[in-house]
Structure formats: C-alpha cells, structure tokens
C-alpha cells in the first residue's frame, strides 16, 4: 500500500485527497482493479475529525478496497485549534466552506479518482461514499445531487462520472429540524452557531434553510442505496435523523440497511481502539457496524475472482 496527499486546489493546502492504495502486482490475487471507498470525516463542518479519517481508510483497505479520505472545506484549518466565540461576539463568515462548496468537493474527488483509475487500480463503476456526522450529511447531500445542474455545471462533466454506487452514513445529520431541537436540548448553542456559520453562512436556521439543507427531504429515485447506522444514546445528533433518512429512502423505494445500537456517544467512528480518543468511544456492540457494512457492500462490490488460481 502507498499513501499520497493531493491538493484539490493548487492555491489551498486544506482541501486534500489522501490515498490508501494497494498494488496487486506482487499479490497472489493478481492484478485487479478494486472497488473504492471515499471517506468524508465529520466535525460539524468546523474541522475534519482525524479519528474518522485514516483509521477508517485502513480498515476498508484491509477488506480489499482502494480507500481515499477527502478533507473538504471546513471553518477551521486542520492544524488550528477550534475556539468558539462568546455569545456576544460576531462569527466571521468564510465563504469557501459555505454550501455547496464542501459537497462539490466530493465531485472533484470523484473525478480525481477516475483520472488516476489506471494508476490506482480502481474500478470506477464501484465507488462507495462513506461519511460520519457532518461528513455523512455532506455525503447524503451529494448522493441526492450528483446528477443535478448545480453539480454538473460546476464540474463540467457528465453525470456518469460522478455517480456513487452506494453510500455509508454514520450518525448522520439527516434533517436540520432535529439539529434545531438538539441545540436547545444539549445546550451546545455556540457549537451549532459556528457550525451553521460554516455551512450556511449565517448563525440562525430559517425554515427555508431546514428544507434546503435536510438530505432526508431530497431523497429521489437517483439516490444510491445506503447503509445507515447510529446509536440511541447519541445526544449530539439525534438518532431520529437516521430514522428519518431511512423513511425517506423507503418512500422512494431505494434499498437500504439500517442499524441502531443502544449504547455509544456521538463520534464513535470504528468504535474500537483503532479510532478511540477516550474509553467511552470503544463499544464492541457498535463496532459491529463495520462487519455489517462489509457484508452489505459485498453484495454490490465483490471482486470477480477466478474459481481457482
């Protein structure tokens, strides 16, 4: 395996695609183009969480996928500290991270993977997107929009180059109505104010914003199949978001798998020591999502291997 970090913009260091690519030249399996997974970490659109990046990529690489991590535009740079303003301070708006920019960067990453498909041995018809929290929101927004004029006009390409075969959505923000309720319940007003400023360019949600930015309200017949998971105990992003997304997929007859685990806080990532920062982020029950997702993906992404060597 080799890893490389590539800038998506020549003049910016913060938006990158990191590769975790396997070379089969010396493998007993032979020289195959492999299915790929593009991972979008969470972080409230403020930063890209490290625990939802490389540990996840390495786990999927071990399953046989060519793995990639997209660090999309966020409010704070990756090497800066997250500092919240006081309630009286005005929050600066940074246009580069306002929607739809982070979503469009998924499309840019898809095109970059396609451009290097031969070099990276990627089967371009079998690319899955995987996101966590805000990253899952970003993935879901893209999943509903990959063939819209908004995306196609910006990327100047045809839709067949941009379609993901499936998406994995971990503890996603699926309906901003619940985010507005959560802001009151979990008393994280400044967290949400900065998060809204990052992705919306404003500090308060309107009903129009809720409608526009809730992926569960925009599921359509071209939305790819989805694997959803969350925990009942998540007090940052309510499990109701995942349930609402599942309902929307069912209404559009889009295949999906959903798993709700009872215990575990927000931000579990793999829910193992590989990704945990604190003890409560290790949860053997919730960690089963990886195995379940692998089995679900296998139905769509299995290598066409010979019967014998």
């Amino acid at each position: 395996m080799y890893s490389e970090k590539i800038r998506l913009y020549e003049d910016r260091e913060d938006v990158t695609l990191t590769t975790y690519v396997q070379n089969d030249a010396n493998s007993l399996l032979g020289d195959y183009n492999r299915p790929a997974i593009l991972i979008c970490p969470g972080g409230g659109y403020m930063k890209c969480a490290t625990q939802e990046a490389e540990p996840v990529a390495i786990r999927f690489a071990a399953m046989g996928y060519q793995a990639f991590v997209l660090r999309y535009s966020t409010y704070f740079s990756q090497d800066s500290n997250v500092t919240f303003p006081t309630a009286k301070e005005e929050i600066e708006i940074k246009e580069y991270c306002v929607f739809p920019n982070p979503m469009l960067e998924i499309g840019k990453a898809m095109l970059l993977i396609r451009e290097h498909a031969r070099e990276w041995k990627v089967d371009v018809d079998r690319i899955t997107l995987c996101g966590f929290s805000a990253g899952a929101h970003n993935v879901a927004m893209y999943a509903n929009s990959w063939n819209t004029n908004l995306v196609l006009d910006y990327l100047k390409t045809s839709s067949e180059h941009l379609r993901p075969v499936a998406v994995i959505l971990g503890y996603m923000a699926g309906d901003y109505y619940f985010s507005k309720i959560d802001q009151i319940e979990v008393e994280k007003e400044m967290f949400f104010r900065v998060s809204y400023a990052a992705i919306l360019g404003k500090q308060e949600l309107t009903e129009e914003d809720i409608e526009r930015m809730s992926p569960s309200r925009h599921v359509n017949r071209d939305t790819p199949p989805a694997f959803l998971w969350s925990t009942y105990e998540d007090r940052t992003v309510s499990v109701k978001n995942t349930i609402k997304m599942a309902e929307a997929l069912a209404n559009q007859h889009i295949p999906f798998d959903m798993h709700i685990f009872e215990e575990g806080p927000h931000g579990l990532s793999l829910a193992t020591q590989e990704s945990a920062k604190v003890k409560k982020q290790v949860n053997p029950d919730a960690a089963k999502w990886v195995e379940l997702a692998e089995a679900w993906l296998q139905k769509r992404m299995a290598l066409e291997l010979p019967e014998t060597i």
Side-chain angles (χ1 to χ4, degrees):
M1 180 192 297
Y2 69 90
S3 181
E4 178 184 7
K5 183 181 289 187
I6 303 169
R7 293 184 186 182
L8 264 65
Y9 305 101
E10 291 184 2
D11 59 343
R12 290 176 60 185
E13 297 182 356
D14 58 320
V15 181
T16 61
L17 182 73
T18 304
T19 70
Y20 299 84
V21 173
Q22 303 171 74
N23 187 334
D24 287 336
N26 298 316
S27 169
L28 290 175
L29 288 177
D31 195 14
Y32 292 100
N33 286 341
R34 293 176 175 270
I37 187 159
L38 175 59
I39 299 157
C40 291
Y45 288 107
M46 287 177 276
K47 291 181 74 172
C48 287
T50 56
Q51 70 269 26
E52 294 163 353
E54 184 168 272
V56 181
I58 291 173
R59 176 64 74 87
F60 276 96
M63 297 178 194
Y65 295 91
Q66 306 293 35
F68 303 87
V69 172
L70 172 63
R71 289 176 173 84
Y72 48 89
S73 291
T74 54
Y75 192 83
F76 297 102
S77 64
Q78 289 300 309
D79 57 356
S80 66
N81 294 322
V82 175
T83 56
F84 294 116
T86 66
K88 294 182 179 180
E89 289 180 315
E90 191 68 22
I91 299 175
E92 178 187 0
I93 302 303
K94 301 179 180 180
E95 294 296 335
Y96 62 81
C97 62
V98 173
F99 181 84
N101 291 333
M103 182 192 75
L104 294 173
E105 287 160 2
I106 295 178
K108 287 176 70 70
M110 292 280 283
L111 291 179
L112 187 58
I113 293 170
R114 177 174 285 271
E115 179 184 340
H116 292 270
R118 177 174 294 184
E119 173 190 353
W120 293 340
K121 301 187 184 303
V122 171
D123 182 343
V124 295
D125 294 322
R126 294 190 294 174
I127 300 176
T128 292
L129 304 180
C130 174
F132 301 87
S133 192
H137 174 268
N138 199 22
V139 165
M141 294 293 283
Y142 180 87
N144 295 334
S145 308
W146 59 272
N147 59 350
T148 62
N149 289 337
L150 171 65
V151 176
L152 299 179
D153 290 348
Y154 175 78
L155 295 172
K156 296 179 173 55
T157 189
S158 56
S159 60
E160 62 264 24
H161 294 158
L162 299 171
R163 185 185 187 278
V165 70
V167 295
I168 298 173
L169 305 173
Y171 39 91
M172 69 175 299
D175 194 308
Y176 264 59
Y177 168 77
F178 298 120
S179 297
K180 194 170 185 178
I181 299 300
D182 289 345
Q183 179 177 337
I184 299 170
E185 292 182 349
V186 301
E187 297 180 346
K188 291 186 176 179
E189 180 182 355
M190 292 313 301
F191 173 90
F192 282 102
R193 281 184 62 197
V194 176
S195 182
Y196 295 157
I199 191 61
L200 295 171
K202 60 176 73 172
Q203 299 176 41
E204 301 292 338
L205 277 176
T206 65
E207 291 301 320
E208 183 179 327
D209 294 327
I210 292 173
E211 180 66 30
R212 180 171 65 101
M213 297 299 293
S214 296
S216 62
R217 305 188 186 198
H218 299 283
V219 172
N220 57 76
R221 63 183 182 180
D222 293 323
T223 301
F227 179 95
L228 314 172
W229 76 277
S230 186
T231 66
Y232 165 76
E233 282 189 349
D234 192 329
R235 294 296 178 263
T236 302
V237 177
S238 169
V239 68
K240 295 176 184 178
N241 285 271
T242 296
I243 295 170
K244 185 71 177 289
M245 187 67 179
E247 181 182 11
L249 291 164
N251 288 340
Q252 290 292 330
H253 308 288
I254 305 296
F256 69 93
D257 227 16
M258 180 175 69
H259 300 273
I260 306 298
F261 303 96
E262 180 182 358
E263 298 177 342
H266 189 71
L268 281 176
S269 184
L270 297 174
T272 64
Q273 291 184 130
E274 297 164 79
S275 60
K277 289 188 173 182
V278 294
K279 188 174 182 179
K280 65 181 180 180
Q281 291 177 334
V282 177
N283 187 297
D285 287 336
K288 294 173 184 175
W289 80 262
V290 180
E291 181 180 344
L292 293 165
E294 180 181 16
W296 183 78
L297 285 175
Q298 192 76 8
K299 294 183 288 187
R300 295 167 172 81
M301 311 278 275
L303 282 171
E304 296 181 3
L305 300 174
E307 293 295 330
T308 60
I309 296 176

